[in-house]
Amino acid sequence: MNAPTNPVRANPGMDSDTFEQFAEQLERYVKERLIPAEEEVIANDAVPPEIIDEMRDMGLFGISVPEEYGGAGLNTSQYARVVNMMSYAAPAFRSIFSINIGMFASALKNGATEEQRQEWYPKLVEGKIACFGLTEPGSGSDSAGLQTTAKPDPDGNGWTLNGTKRYITNAPHADVALIMARTEKENLPKNAHVSAFLVPMDAPGVSTGSPDKKMGQSGSHISDIMLDDVKVPGDALLGGETGKGFRFAMQSLDNGRISVGAAATAYARRALDSALRYANERQAFGEPIARFQLIQAMLADSETEIYAAECMMRDVTERADRGENIITKAAAFKVFASEMCGRVVDRVVQIYGGAGYLAEYDAERFYRDARIYRIYEGTTQILQLQIAKHMLREWEKENL
């Protein structure tokens, strides 16, 4: 098995004219196809299969896969824009392909062997669905508490995995999972006791629980993954080396956090557009409530914060494309965008007034859907700790 090659850090991405044409088509698809389908998604708690097929045909499941493996080869800035455009519609549409183009594709880029890339990149491009198995019933961001194990087979040709993963997006219908598992009994420095494995979801011993009932985000499914004496070959070990899994996972989470930040920013924009329309249509005291100064203040504050998040998205993705280390700025963007979205949807409910509390109006749905952005891919509180840790580390380098 070949050792993983160093990933190319600077990424020019798709030709800008070609990408802008694609973006124009995608924006039209979101507004003319996806938004009208939202009621069906909510009613059935599922994205219609024909829409998933359309997304496959558009190449959305492989947009971040390098061109030499059949993908579109988008850079981080272009990837974030696609996620942002798709996330103007109901969150389920982003969710179904986001793990493919974010954390899973990033893990392949950062840590896979060439053989693993040749096997899995084309499968992503054709529309196989991926999931990312890090969180467990007793551990999330705390890797020291990870209990899933991977033990080498006596003949040395494979591994046996046992454990349970929790809150795994797309698990009920995924084709492959990237599973973080303990390959050492004792906790080691730099989380070297954790390794990553590429596990087909149809492998004997892999099962999923029933999709969890959630507060919002209808059509986006999460569930447990149970691993019961799951046998995988030796080449299922990502990168062909033990002890690197957590590092690969954390590197992949940079892309995941950009995706969540881009999604939260777009959903805040969707909610504000709805509130602006409602404020101009709703009459009180003989005039539209949009003319009331305190309504205008909420609209203005929301526009200001969305603009700030859009600027952060552009900055962090351009830095990524230049090859800079973005771990702190990706975390900062995700924290700001997700918290901002929460404030915006709260104002939108207030602008709607009593109607904002009724399920027949969009504001109530926006409010429920947005809450998860502050939790997954790192809670705000965990990311605050991470940001501060890196700030202090940099200060020590410069001053001690």
Side-chain angles (χ1 to χ4, degrees):
M1 182 178 292
N2 294 340
T5 56
N6 292 326
V8 177
R9 296 298 298 163
N11 185 0
M14 181 185 287
D15 171 77
S16 59
D17 289 340
T18 304
F19 177 74
E20 291 305 325
Q21 293 175 4
F22 172 73
E24 183 179 341
Q25 294 172 353
L26 183 61
E27 185 175 17
R28 186 164 57 249
Y29 178 73
V30 169
K31 292 183 177 179
E32 296 178 2
R33 177 68 167 124
L34 298 188
I35 290 177
E38 288 178 341
E39 289 187 9
E40 182 179 354
V41 170
I42 294 168
N44 298 327
D45 190 26
V47 178
E50 61 270 22
I51 288 183
I52 296 176
D53 288 340
E54 291 167 6
M55 292 167 63
R56 288 190 174 108
D57 292 341
M58 294 172 68
L60 290 175
F61 284 82
I63 59 170
S64 60
V65 172
E67 290 182 89
E68 59 265 35
Y69 300 96
L74 301 192
N75 61 26
T76 307
S77 299
Q78 294 167 339
Y79 150 77
R81 279 189 59 192
V82 168
V83 171
N84 184 262
M85 286 186 284
M86 288 290 291
S87 300
Y88 191 83
F93 298 119
R94 178 198 76 100
S95 182
I96 196 68
F97 76 103
S98 64
I99 306 300
N100 276 40
I101 65 173
M103 292 186 292
F104 196 90
S106 180
L108 292 178
K109 173 185 175 183
N110 292 322
T113 65
E114 182 57 30
E115 290 89 343
Q116 289 168 339
R117 291 171 185 162
Q118 290 180 4
E119 178 181 2
W120 289 105
Y121 270 148
K123 292 180 180 179
L124 298 183
V125 172
E126 72 181 46
K128 298 295 185 184
I129 297 173
C131 61
F132 190 88
L134 175 61
T135 301
E136 297 185 357
S139 69
S141 302
D142 176 21
S143 64
L146 188 142
Q147 296 298 311
T148 296
T149 60
K151 296 181 179 180
D153 294 339
D155 59 10
N157 293 324
W159 299 83
T160 300
L161 278 66
N162 283 281
T164 299
K165 297 297 179 178
R166 177 149 292 176
Y167 309 137
I168 307 304
T169 299
N170 289 339
H173 37 252
D175 299 292
V176 61
L178 185 63
I179 297 292
M180 304 300 141
R182 179 182 287 271
T183 46
E184 300 288 342
K185 290 182 179 180
E186 304 298 325
N187 295 334
L188 298 178
K190 299 183 179 179
N191 297 294
H193 55 284
V194 181
S195 302
F197 294 85
L198 296 156
V199 181
M201 292 293 286
D202 61 358
V206 178
S207 60
T208 59
S210 300
D212 294 308
K213 295 182 179 180
K214 311 186 307 299
M215 177 189 295
Q217 302 220 355
S218 296
S220 171
H221 299 148
I222 64 174
S223 75
D224 289 0
I225 297 177
M226 284 74 75
L227 305 158
D228 185 13
D229 286 335
V230 177
K231 307 287 186 181
V232 295
D235 58 10
L237 176 63
L238 187 68
E241 297 181 62
T242 61
K244 302 292 181 67
F246 191 77
R247 179 166 61 86
F248 295 149
M250 293 304 100
Q251 291 172 340
S252 301
L253 284 174
D254 285 345
N255 267 26
R257 287 162 184 166
I258 288 173
S259 177
V260 174
T265 301
Y267 213 52
R269 174 65 68 190
R270 170 74 182 282
L272 180 58
D273 286 348
S274 174
L276 190 61
R277 181 178 62 252
Y278 184 83
N280 277 284
E281 295 173 350
R282 174 75 166 90
Q283 296 275 329
F285 304 102
E287 59 183 334
I289 64 172
R291 296 183 184 177
F292 300 159
Q293 288 183 336
L294 293 181
I295 297 292
Q296 292 174 1
M298 288 189 283
L299 294 172
D301 285 348
S302 298
E303 174 64 29
T304 301
E305 291 194 86
I306 294 171
Y307 175 57
E310 291 170 343
C311 291
M312 290 180 74
M313 183 178 81
R314 186 161 52 248
D315 177 73
V316 70
T317 56
E318 288 177 353
R319 288 175 182 272
D321 290 332
R322 291 196 298 267
E324 296 181 23
N325 185 328
I326 60 164
I327 186 169
T328 301
K329 287 180 169 55
F333 170 49
K334 193 270 184 182
V335 167
F336 181 83
S338 61
E339 294 287 339
M340 173 277 296
C341 186
R343 291 189 292 271
V344 169
V345 296
D346 186 73
R347 293 186 194 114
V348 169
V349 170
Q350 197 70 12
I351 290 169
Y352 269 75
Y357 203 69
L358 302 182
E360 66 182 281
Y361 292 89
D362 287 339
E364 182 266 352
R365 169 167 63 97
F366 296 151
Y367 190 85
R368 289 184 292 102
D369 285 346
R371 188 60 182 86
I372 190 62
Y373 291 135
R374 294 152 63 187
I375 297 174
Y376 60 13
E377 315 306 353
T379 66
T380 292
Q381 289 69 37
I382 284 291
L383 295 184
Q384 286 174 320
L385 295 176
Q386 184 185 84
I387 292 165
K389 179 183 73 175
H390 287 281
M391 290 171 62
L392 293 170
R393 186 177 295 168
E394 289 301 314
W395 185 90
E396 289 176 357
K397 287 181 182 178
E398 296 173 3
N399 294 278
L400 297 180

